[in-house]
Amino acid sequence: MDQTRLVTLDNGYHLFTRKVNEGPIKLLCLHGGPGGTHETFDNFKDGLKGQGVEVYSYDQLGSYYSDQPDFTKKENKSLLSIPRYVDEVEEVRQKLGLDNFYLLGHSWGGLLAQEYAYKYGKHLKGLVLMSMIDNLDEYTENINHEREETFSPEQVDYMKECEKAENFTDPMYQQLVTHLYSLFLTRHPTGTAHPVNTHNNVIYNYFQGNNEFVMVGELTKWDFREKLASLKMPTLLTFGEFDTMPLSAARRMHQTLSNSRLTLTPDGGHCHNTDNPKAFFTSLTKFLHDVENNTFKGE
């Protein structure tokens, strides 16, 4: 039976959680953004139907369906930290009664998943890093390369001028960003948009910047590379063929993680579960079943 429920954190805030499907395999999914919602996993219900996978997701603190503190207030600034969001995952796990489970993190959620696996890995049966690498330096280099390969030098200069002036609402700038998103973020969008904005831009701007191609926030300081090899649990690294994340970094991570598998979703961007769900869910299901059947080996 599908369920939605609110869980109350020890700090008094409430988080929206959702469970779909039934089965012995427990999969907890962490959404991206930062400031996105659990809805990025909406197609997991059909994609994993009949596979024995019980899928849990939730909106992180500040995201649309959960409590949204006023982060502009000084007393709430401490809520915007990676360690707090990692501990939030652990608290959600406890309140949902999960253990010996699989953790999937998409984008920013993949950052949290790596940090969670490092601190709380004893609870994990397996880890899925979806379109997320272990540092932001290589990401920044890659997204700049992607737009330089896509646009003329004049167009790239125009974007940089707008960014320097923080003129992000410029119509031409917005048009160029939209085109980049159509190539590298979500190549084949589905569904209908909300009539209201469900993305928390305050969180996004604080950690990321103004958009995926302007990396100026707190995440520029994050680097997990020296810790990565300590993750020993079975790990699936899944990326889109045309991801915003550098595939060279994904391959390096695969070599570092002795107990890992790397898969690429054809014709997929950063949101490749939406772009090519058939390919994405085939590789995800195989990983989960291989671990369950004790047939998974690092490749």
Side-chain angles (χ1 to χ4, degrees), residues 8 28 30 41 44 67 104 106 153 191 201-202 213 221 289:
T8 304
L28 176 62
L30 307 179
F41 306 116
F44 277 49
D67 282 352
L104 180 151
H106 175 237
N201 291 326
V202 174
F213 292 84
K221 304 173 185 177
H289 287 175

Side-chain angles (χ1 to χ4, degrees), residues 21-41:
N21 298 344
E22 300 281 345
I25 304 172
K26 314 300 182 184
L27 175 67
L28 176 62
C29 300
L30 307 179
H31 66 72
T37 75
H38 73 283
E39 291 172 316
T40 192
F41 306 116

Side-chain angles (χ1 to χ4, degrees), residues 145-182:
H145 174 73
E146 287 178 338
R147 75 171 175 179
E148 288 167 3
E149 289 289 304
T150 303
F151 296 138
S152 69
E154 292 76 18
Q155 289 172 313
V156 174
D157 287 344
Y158 187 86
M159 292 189 74
K160 290 181 178 179
E161 289 173 4
C162 289
E163 290 160 5
K164 185 178 181 180
E166 297 187 356
N167 187 16
F168 299 113
T169 59
D170 178 84
M172 178 58 72
Y173 180 81
Q174 285 293 319
Q175 182 176 328
L176 294 172
V177 169
T178 298
H179 183 62
L180 287 171
Y181 278 17
S182 71

Side-chain angles (χ1 to χ4, degrees), residues 18 34 52 69-70 111 138 147 157 195 202 221 234 240 270:
R18 184 185 186 207
D70 183 354
L111 179 158
E138 289 175 273
R147 75 171 175 179
D157 287 344
V202 174
K221 304 173 185 177
H270 193 58

